[in-house]
Amino acid sequence: MTMWEMRERLLLHGRILWRDGAMGLSWSFSGCSFCFEGDALTIACAPYPTEEYLAVIVDGVTYKMRVCDRFSLALKNGSHTVSLRRASADSWSETVFVTTITVNGVFTAPPAEKKRKLEFIGDSITCGYGVLGAPDEPYHTRTEDATLTYAARMAQMLDAEARLLSISGQGVVHECTGEVGRTFSTFFDCNTRIPAEGAWDFADGWQPDAVIINAGTNDVGGKTTDEEMTAGAIAFIHKVRARYPDAVILWTYGLMNQNFVSALTAAVETVRKADEKVWFLPLDCIYDRVGEVGANGHPGLLAHRRAANALAAFLQEHFAT
């Protein structure tokens, strides 16, 4: 049975690309959840050219799976709940295609969908780049894990489903090298992280209760001006609002630099004149705190925990009751 044929047994997470019966995972944290009665589980993916990782969460215990390997797990016979998520996604990495999920037993009804929904739009911070590494350690995909980010933590804290649309190195106006690249406005409309793989048609009815935009960090390296940032942020907020008319929109920024706090404050204040469900929450920089820096100067576990606590508390104050 192909993944497409068994899709009714799955609770899908995020934007999925279906190809030749396989389930394509491009975005960090995308994947599926399912339940079964039995004593063994096997997951396989199509051949993959680089070292990327999936997280397989079985009954609350997380196992890391290299995409190029077959994952097999023996279990005590009984009822099991499994969540499969894309843990790492290098900036230009390809879509991972999950070809088979088999169990020694029978699939049962999938987990219920969460009532509350969150969408996170961001860069390497939201991808979980370096979250498992040490400050003096270079980046490697094994130190990236989207299941340990502030976004994943917030979803758990708020009992919500979370979608991540994030690509390392990208910005509001310019990417970290100064090129326009795949700006947030561009990839917001994409089916996958690779624009050539087609547009997302927004036809699945997904309407988040809140959209958290964590953006602007890479524009510092890209030499974006304050004026460009303010204009770009205003335009992107309007684009998100057009798709999600009822969502709280929360822009956050500051974990890795503070250069655009004033520009983003101005952008949000401008939008709020006509849209009071838009907010800006700056966060303190990780370099001013002990133990918060992960691999290659990116936020580590403590930083993601701090961000999750601050953002979740803010949202709880502003969600409609």
Side-chain angles (χ1 to χ4, degrees), residues 31-205:
C32 66
S33 294
F34 58 92
C35 300
F36 75 97
E37 293 272 355
D39 63 6
L41 164 70
T42 301
I43 300 171
C45 298
Y48 197 78
T50 59
E51 188 172 339
E52 295 281 357
Y53 291 86
L54 302 178
V56 186
I57 306 165
V58 183
D59 301 329
V61 178
T62 300
Y63 304 85
K64 284 300 238 346
M65 169 189 174
R66 288 203 317 171
V67 171
C68 58
D69 296 335
R70 177 182 291 266
F71 177 86
S72 296
L73 183 66
L75 298 161
K76 183 178 179 180
N77 191 42
S79 300
H80 304 285
T81 300
V82 181
S83 184
L84 175 66
R85 302 278 191 161
R86 182 158 186 174
S88 69
D90 197 9
S91 184
W92 288 99
S93 62
E94 300 177 6
T95 298
V96 171
F97 285 95
V98 181
T99 54
T100 58
I101 296 176
T102 57
V103 299
N104 186 35
V106 294
F107 287 97
T108 55
E113 187 174 0
K114 302 287 187 182
K115 292 183 178 180
R116 182 171 282 172
K117 298 176 175 63
L118 306 175
E119 182 158 297
F120 295 83
I121 303 171
D123 49 37
S124 57
I125 298 171
T126 303
C127 291
Y129 179 116
V131 66
L132 290 172
D136 57 351
E137 186 177 356
Y139 169 73
H140 190 281
T141 49
R142 63 175 170 268
T143 67
E144 181 173 316
D145 193 335
T147 70
L148 299 175
T149 61
Y150 73 94
R153 290 180 182 276
M154 286 177 65
Q156 185 175 30
M157 294 168 68
L158 298 173
D159 192 28
E161 171 68 11
R163 285 189 178 185
L164 275 58
L165 303 177
S166 54
I167 304 179
S168 296
Q170 305 309 300
V172 179
V173 181
H174 301 104
E175 64 176 35
C176 58
T177 63
E179 301 296 322
V180 172
R182 294 164 290 174
T183 64
F184 298 102
S185 183
T186 298
F187 69 71
F188 180 65
D189 291 326
C190 292
N191 193 3
T192 74
R193 299 161 70 253
I194 309 299
E197 290 185 324
W200 181 248
D201 60 11
F202 294 89
D204 65 348

Side-chain angles (χ1 to χ4, degrees), residues 151-314:
R153 290 180 182 276
M154 286 177 65
Q156 185 175 30
M157 294 168 68
L158 298 173
D159 192 28
E161 171 68 11
R163 285 189 178 185
L164 275 58
L165 303 177
S166 54
I167 304 179
S168 296
Q170 305 309 300
V172 179
V173 181
H174 301 104
E175 64 176 35
C176 58
T177 63
E179 301 296 322
V180 172
R182 294 164 290 174
T183 64
F184 298 102
S185 183
T186 298
F187 69 71
F188 180 65
D189 291 326
C190 292
N191 193 3
T192 74
R193 299 161 70 253
I194 309 299
E197 290 185 324
W200 181 248
D201 60 11
F202 294 89
D204 65 348
W206 170 264
Q207 285 290 321
D209 297 285
V211 178
I212 298 88
I213 304 170
N214 189 345
T217 300
N218 291 303
D219 287 270
V220 173
K223 308 300 182 184
T224 298
T225 66
D226 281 0
E227 292 75 15
E228 289 175 323
M229 175 57 70
T230 297
I234 290 172
F236 186 51
I237 292 169
H238 286 319
K239 185 170 190 174
V240 172
R241 173 59 75 217
R243 288 294 187 182
Y244 304 137
D246 299 321
V248 171
I249 299 175
L250 173 58
W251 197 300
T252 188
Y253 163 78
L255 285 175
M256 293 181 66
N257 54 55
Q258 300 276 313
N259 301 47
F260 292 121
V261 169
S262 295
L264 290 171
T265 298
V268 171
E269 287 180 350
T270 298
V271 176
R272 278 183 55 81
K273 292 176 182 178
D275 187 347
E276 294 185 349
K277 296 181 75 173
V278 179
W279 302 88
F280 177 56
L281 182 64
L283 296 171
D284 291 343
C285 189
I286 60 174
Y287 310 120
D288 298 328
R289 291 174 172 261
V290 176
E292 288 200 350
V293 180
N296 200 25
H298 279 66
L301 288 169
L302 291 179
H304 280 276
R305 187 176 303 163
R306 171 170 63 88
N309 291 340
L311 292 166
F314 189 92

Side-chain angles (χ1 to χ4, degrees), residues 15-26:
R15 299 181 180 183
I16 305 296
L17 176 65
W18 297 98
R19 179 179 294 169
D20 299 328
M23 181 178 66
L25 307 181
S26 176

